[in-house]
């Protein structure tokens, strides 16, 4: 694995399909860098399955059920000596602000998804070119929603 060192690769996230447990076990035995579960660990009950296969878990707020389940996943992972990462895909600045509030509990974070969006209907969290994050002041997440921008999106009601 000299390329990992040469290119300063810190971790691999879900290197195999989530059902390839035998392959994951083989990789875990020889890996020189941390392996983090992603699709293999989506909800709370999945955390304990990661022991001996991964070094850590990657929690996605939008997949795990929100802030409260994420907190329980973090607690479970820490009790099992697993590292914790929180990641994003295409969360807006609202979702990213929620992730940022978890920073003291995380070993790694991937919260740049909002930077990939062309348009936004909220603001508050800011990130500079050095990836320094500035949280907004205010209640809750501190995010301010622009209702005019939000009105451009078609929002349909649905029953859960």
């Amino acid at each position: 694995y000299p390329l990992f060192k040469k290119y300063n690769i810190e971790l691999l996230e879900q290197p195999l399909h989530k059902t390839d447990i035998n392959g994951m076990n083989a990789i875990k035995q020889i890996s020189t860098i941390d392996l983090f579960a992603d699709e293999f660990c989506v909800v709370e009950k999945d955390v304990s399955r990661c022991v001996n296969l991964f070094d850590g878990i990657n929690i996605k707020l939008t997949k795990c059920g929100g802030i409260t389940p994420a907190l329980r996943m973090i607690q479970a992972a820490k009790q099992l000596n697993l590292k914790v990462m929180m990641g994003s895909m295409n969360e807006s600045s609202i979702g990213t602000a929620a992730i940022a509030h978890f920073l003291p509990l995380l070993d790694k974070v991937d919260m740049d998804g909002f930077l990939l969006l062309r348009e936004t209907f909220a603001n508050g969290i800011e990130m500079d070119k050095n990836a320094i994050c500035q949280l907004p002041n205010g209640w809750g997440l501190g995010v301010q929603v622009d209702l005019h921008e939000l009105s451009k999106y078609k929002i349909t009601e649905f029953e859960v």
Side-chain angles (χ1 to χ4, degrees):
Y1 301 97
L3 288 179
F4 291 161
K5 194 170 207 160
K6 178 180 177 182
Y7 292 107
N8 199 26
I9 296 173
E10 295 179 36
L11 63 92
L12 285 177
E13 182 182 322
Q14 194 74 44
L16 299 175
H17 191 273
K18 65 183 179 180
T19 61
D20 190 355
I21 294 172
N22 290 335
M24 201 58 237
N25 188 41
I27 289 176
K28 177 69 173 111
Q29 299 305 314
I30 62 170
S31 180
T32 59
I33 62 172
D34 286 340
L35 304 170
F36 277 72
D38 190 355
E39 293 85 7
F40 191 78
C41 186
V42 177
V43 294
E44 293 174 63
K45 66 179 177 59
D46 297 334
V47 175
S48 61
R49 298 183 323 136
C50 296
V51 174
N52 300 322
L53 293 175
F54 296 94
D55 300 295
I57 62 170
N58 184 6
I59 300 171
K60 302 271 178 44
L61 285 178
T62 56
K63 291 183 179 181
C64 77
I67 291 171
T68 302
L71 283 169
R72 289 191 295 255
M73 289 176 76
I74 291 169
Q75 183 179 39
K78 296 293 184 180
Q79 288 175 348
L80 295 168
N81 292 317
L82 291 168
K83 294 177 183 173
V84 179
M85 175 178 178
M86 193 167 283
S88 65
M89 294 175 9
N90 57 359
E91 276 81 357
S92 69
S93 58
I94 296 172
T96 305
I99 292 169
H101 281 78
F102 281 92
L103 288 172
L105 303 175
L106 305 177
D107 298 294
K108 304 284 183 186
V109 68
D110 169 14
M111 53 186 253
D112 61 354
F114 79 104
L115 298 173
L116 304 174
L117 299 177
R118 187 177 320 132
E119 298 176 4
T120 185
F121 56 85
N123 60 32
I125 191 165
E126 296 177 13
M127 190 178 302
D128 71 16
K129 64 182 177 181
N130 297 313
I132 303 297
C133 184
Q134 180 65 46
L135 293 176
N137 293 322
W139 296 100
L141 298 177
V143 173
Q144 300 294 317
V145 176
D146 183 331
L147 295 178
H148 176 73
E149 287 297 317
L150 183 61
S151 69
K152 295 178 183 178
Y153 297 88
K154 182 178 179 182
I155 300 174
T156 59
E157 293 184 31
F158 59 92
E159 192 173 316
V160 178

